[in-house]
Amino acid sequence: LLRSKKHSHRDPNMRHGRAKAARKTLKFYSINCNIKAPYKLILDGNFLAASVRFKVPLVERLTKLLQGNEFQIYTTRSALEELNTLPGEAFQKARQFGLDECIILEKKDILKCSREEEDMKGSSIDQKAFDPKEDIVKLVQGGNDQGYFVATQDEKLSDKIRERLAYVPQMRMARGGVLIFESPSANSRRHAMREERGKQNTGGGTMTKEEKHLIDKLREERIRLKREQQQQADNGTGERKKRKAKGPNPLSCKKKKSSGNAKSNSTARR
């Protein structure tokens, strides 16, 4: 079920700026949270329906958006059940695409990614007791360890992921069937900056607590010695020693003219 690019020509419908932004976003997630190919994409029901409505060749577009890297597409069982309850040919085609082309995440798979697994042990799992939105949130919460991308048209779900969860790449379908790969959220960038500062403070993560404590102690000792030296320079009075006035700079002073030169100048004038 791995998808990969079979041809190297660029998509004429994708502008260069959008392709460049996609490369930059993929690089951000690769560096900061180790999300690398083969990528895992979760497609929710409304995203599948939008791709059918706009007649988008989804696999081909995703391949080009992801720079030809291999990927797998997933959907949840609850999303397929939701599509089955909606009237209209587009929703049924979207459901069929999910059944034929996607890896289906069952409830037990979703529970493994959440803390509810312990609470559900020994009890039967009710398929209808799960919500498609909540299923996706459970899959990507806690730092998105599985490295899932989320493709959704649901603005509330997208906002919730963007504001509350970090390191979750998102996609959506714009008007006309244009596939948009969103830039990393502000929350994700804050997490990345915080982790980078932590690495700097701990020598790239290789410094132990004892080593950090020793460095802090040495720094404090150096500051203390500097203060003592300053106090000694102040003669113990707490005031800085005033500098004595020095003579004028000889290079900045004009030279006095000799008397002989003055007489010769006066005769020359006559």
Side-chain angles (χ1 to χ4, degrees):
L1 292 170
L2 289 176
R3 318 282 181 174
S4 61
K5 192 173 182 179
K6 295 182 179 179
H7 47 278
S8 60
H9 68 273
R10 293 183 179 179
D11 183 3
N13 298 322
M14 178 183 286
R15 294 181 181 179
H16 176 70
R18 212 160 47 238
K20 185 178 179 180
R23 286 194 298 271
K24 188 176 179 181
T25 301
L26 288 173
K27 186 177 181 180
F28 172 87
Y29 288 114
S30 174
I31 292 172
N32 292 288
C33 50
N34 201 33
I35 296 180
K36 298 179 180 179
Y39 300 117
K40 300 177 181 179
L41 281 64
I42 303 176
L43 316 182
D44 73 349
N46 48 40
F47 183 86
L48 289 172
S51 66
V52 171
R53 192 179 301 114
F54 291 119
K55 299 180 180 179
V56 174
L58 196 53
V59 173
E60 181 183 346
R61 291 284 181 86
L62 288 171
T63 300
K64 290 168 182 174
L65 185 68
L66 296 173
Q67 311 298 306
N69 293 300
E70 293 184 340
F71 64 93
Q72 295 173 318
I73 51 178
Y74 296 77
T75 192
T76 62
R77 178 65 66 181
S78 56
L80 296 177
E81 293 299 324
E82 183 182 46
L83 287 171
N84 196 35
T85 61
L86 299 173
E89 186 180 359
F91 296 112
Q92 296 308 311
K93 285 184 177 180
R95 179 176 180 273
Q96 194 60 47
F97 179 91
L99 291 171
D100 296 340
E101 302 292 339
C102 299
I103 300 172
I104 301 173
L105 296 169
E106 303 290 350
K107 304 307 176 184
K108 60 181 181 180
D109 301 319
I110 296 167
L111 288 174
K112 288 178 182 178
C113 297
S114 69
R115 297 178 181 177
E116 297 179 19
E117 184 180 11
E118 295 295 328
D119 300 333
M120 296 296 291
K121 281 184 178 179
S123 61
S124 60
I125 299 174
D126 183 8
Q127 294 285 120
K128 297 181 180 179
F130 291 80
D131 179 80
K133 298 177 188 177
E134 291 303 317
D135 285 352
I136 290 177
V137 171
K138 289 172 184 175
L139 286 166
V140 298
Q141 66 185 359
N144 193 17
D145 294 335
Q146 297 297 320
Y148 286 118
F149 290 56
V150 174
T152 180
Q153 299 296 98
D154 192 316
E155 292 184 3
K156 290 183 179 180
L157 173 61
S158 183
D159 290 342
K160 185 175 183 179
I161 292 173
R162 191 181 300 109
E163 295 170 4
R164 300 184 185 181
L165 305 176
Y167 299 144
V168 183
Q170 290 198 74
M171 297 179 180
R172 59 185 172 85
M173 195 80 66
R175 285 186 179 181
V178 178
L179 192 57
I180 302 297
F181 189 13
E182 295 187 1
S183 299
S185 65
N187 193 16
S188 295
R189 293 187 184 278
R190 281 195 298 269
H191 273 73
M193 290 178 65
R194 196 178 301 122
E195 290 179 359
E196 184 63 27
R197 284 196 296 267
K199 289 178 181 178
Q200 291 174 357
N201 293 333
T202 59
T206 60
M207 189 186 300
T208 63
K209 290 182 179 180
E210 291 78 10
E211 290 172 339
K212 188 177 185 302
H213 178 70
L214 180 60
I215 289 174
D216 292 339
K217 191 174 180 180
L218 291 172
R219 188 181 292 115
E220 292 174 1
E221 183 68 17
R222 186 172 56 190
I223 293 171
R224 186 183 64 79
L225 291 173
K226 193 172 182 180
R227 286 176 181 171
E228 290 180 356
Q229 291 173 359
Q230 185 65 49
Q231 288 177 358
Q232 291 175 3
D234 295 341
N235 295 327
T237 60
E239 296 181 357
R240 289 194 174 184
K241 208 172 183 181
K242 293 183 179 179
R243 292 184 178 180
K244 293 182 180 180
K246 296 181 179 180
N249 187 354
L251 298 176
S252 63
C253 298
K254 291 183 178 181
K255 293 183 179 180
K256 293 182 180 181
K257 294 181 179 180
S258 61
S259 58
N261 290 337
K263 290 180 180 180
S264 61
N265 289 337
S266 61
T267 54
R269 289 173 187 170
R270 291 177 185 176

